[in-house]
Amino acid sequence: MTSQQRGGYAKGDARREAIVEVATEVFGTLGFRSATMLQIAAACGISRTGLLHHFPTKESLLEAVLAQRDRTSALVVPLPSDVADPDLAAIERLIALARHNASSPEIVNLFSVLSAEAGDPEHPAHAYFLERYAAARAELAAALTRLAARGALVAGTDPRALAIEIIALMDGLQVQWVLAPDSIDMAAVLRHRIQAALLPPYVLR
Amino acid sequence: MTSQQRGGYAKGDARREAIVEVATEVFGTLGFRSATMLQIAAACGISRTGLLHHFPTKESLLEAVLAQRDRTSALVVPLPSDVADPDLAAIERLIALARHNASSPEIVNLFSVLSAEAGDPEHPAHAYFLERYAAARAELAAALTRLAARGALVAGTDPRALAIEIIALMDGLQVQWVLAPDSIDMAAVLRHRIQAALLPPYVLR
């Protein structure tokens, strides 16, 4: 590949990334349904035809927004490769994510609005959220089950119910935080709840 | 008032109530922003002009939907007047509300979608939700503070943080429940969490 070709790819990628960033904000503010491709194009400073060249439908743009959001979450809060306790690290990662989200209102908005809208089976992100929540519950329940087997959880804790509770807590905190960011410390409330389920000597960072 | 007059009022009221019921479903499915007055009128089987006679703007209809929702919640889960322990009863009421919500997907949808959309300061329900959450936190924190003063809460519990947590849990459970109603028992998870904060002999019904 010549440097010119690479430059061409890079330019197209940069334009796509810029569009996805703008769409994240527009979907997060207006919701997927009420946002229009024309509004998104205008916010990007390009024509509707220019936008359709990169994303032929609003659904394809939504898909790119969700994929980018997942990549960003994985990047900002990577699972360290050399952790002493991977199960505890998986939980600490959720707290780090909540802390990171407090610096990204546009991502929090996006997720609150889309996950609520997607309750409708007709919504294009319905399957995405259905699978995403099922996977998140299964993954977290598995980590908690391993912690329970090691005697790290308070007696009587149901790992699956606790997984549902922790995920619900993260989502619900976002709703309150968006409305009153100065009153709600998402990471602190989450950390406190999870720590309460752990027995000594297990302490979350 | 003659019976004829009463009949007239009752007919108008019944029509308004029917519109509010339909609008609750439409706003809950499509969101406030993307729903149109024409869609709501069609779903009611009346003309747009007929709808505008009762509700001149989409905002006025939203206001009626939220007011009706608050009345319904208060009616289905009344605070008993003869309770032995009003603070505990206030908490049990939340669990009863979660149980009731599991039979009202349209109300749960409405609340998930509107509270998320309302994070945008430009949304017509922004002030409603801002005040509603602040009041809910204050009310619940006050009940928990009184319980703490009586030694009913686990040592180290911060009543305000617990109030934020309980409200967040209720909201977040709704998001998962709408997507997978058979996998999520909202009332059970909520009850378990609150019971874990209480010391014997305090047991939630």
Side-chain angles (χ1 to χ4, degrees), chain A residues 26 67 92 94 98 131 147 169 180:
Chain A
V26 176
E92 284 170 344
L94 297 179
E131 286 158 25
L147 282 168
L169 185 55

Side-chain angles (χ1 to χ4, degrees), chain A residues 29-30 33-34 112-113 116 118-120 130 133 137 160 164-165 167-169 172-173 175-176 178-179 183-184 193, chain B residues 29-30 33-34 112-113 116 118-120 130 133 137 164-165 167-169 172-173 175-176 178-179 183-184 193:
Chain A
T29 310
L30 299 179
R33 280 218 190 71
S34 82
S112 289
V113 171
D120 177 8
L130 201 64
Y133 277 105
R137 282 193 293 267
R160 193 180 145 73
I164 292 170
E165 185 189 328
I167 294 166
L169 185 55
L173 283 170
V175 174
Q176 291 184 68
V178 167
L179 286 161
S183 304
I184 310 294
R193 170 60 192 114
Chain B
T29 310
L30 299 179
R33 280 220 189 71
S34 82
S112 289
V113 171
D120 178 8
L130 199 65
Y133 278 105
R137 282 193 293 268
I164 291 171
E165 186 189 326
I167 294 166
L169 185 55
L173 283 170
V175 174
Q176 290 184 68
V178 167
L179 286 161
S183 304
I184 310 294
R193 169 61 191 113

